[in-house]
Amino acid sequence: GRSAAVSVLLLTAWSLVGCYALVPVTTATPVTVSRTVRVVLTAAGTVSLQQALGSDVKEIEGIVTRSNADTLIFAVAETLTGANQRFVSHGDTVAVARPLVESMSVQQYSQKRSIGLVLGIALLVVLTIVGITTGTSGVSGTGQPAPPQP
């Protein structure tokens, strides 16, 4: 009935969202615009970007707005300091020269995680439907147990 339809709609919505993972790539990898990137800065990178990002920033995560062989320019979403303090940013744009990047990861669709999510939700839906069905099978509309069947 209605609960099954809602469950199917939720399952479909979750399957469309999918799961993403940050995957390590070389620092020279071309990065497309609108892609989420996380970079770990070299010590020189931390010093160089201190004015723009604050002191002791070791990692930057954000969405690439421009990229070329020498520089990544992105809207910063989050930074991580050497003391493991996370700071959320509101899209401040920063240009990072690639020689200042120690390592880099890009966000990619993860089929394995997405399939696991969909299967987990499907199992939850099935268990919910079975629970609803078995929970109401022995009760009449008056709340009294149904008479035994011959």
Side-chain angles (χ1 to χ4, degrees), residues 2 11 58-59 145:
R2 186 178 295 183
L11 179 63
K58 302 291 184 192
E59 291 184 21

Side-chain angles (χ1 to χ4, degrees), residues 2 24 30 65 70-71 117 121 126:
R2 186 178 295 183
T65 58
D70 302 322
T71 307
L117 175 67
I121 292 171
V126 168

Side-chain angles (χ1 to χ4, degrees), residues 71-141:
T71 307
L72 291 169
I73 300 172
F74 52 97
V76 178
E78 185 176 83
T79 59
L80 179 70
T81 67
N84 287 325
Q85 292 179 304
R86 290 200 180 279
F87 294 97
V88 175
S89 180
H90 300 289
D92 297 333
T93 302
V94 67
V96 181
R98 287 189 188 249
L100 300 177
V101 175
E102 182 176 305
S103 64
M104 182 168 72
S105 300
V106 296
Q107 189 178 55
Q108 291 182 349
Y109 177 75
S110 173
Q111 185 176 14
K112 184 177 181 179
R113 284 184 179 185
S114 296
I115 289 171
L117 175 67
V118 169
L119 291 176
I121 292 171
L123 179 62
L124 182 63
V125 168
V126 168
L127 292 174
T128 301
I129 291 170
V130 167
I132 290 170
T133 304
T134 58
T136 60
S137 64
V139 178
S140 69

Side-chain angles (χ1 to χ4, degrees), residues 47-85:
V47 172
S48 176
L49 294 170
Q50 185 171 349
Q51 182 94 15
L53 298 174
S55 62
D56 200 31
V57 171
K58 302 291 184 192
E59 291 184 21
I60 308 166
E61 187 172 321
I63 298 172
V64 173
T65 58
R66 284 185 287 168
S67 172
N68 60 38
D70 302 322
T71 307
L72 291 169
I73 300 172
F74 52 97
V76 178
E78 185 176 83
T79 59
L80 179 70
T81 67
N84 287 325
Q85 292 179 304

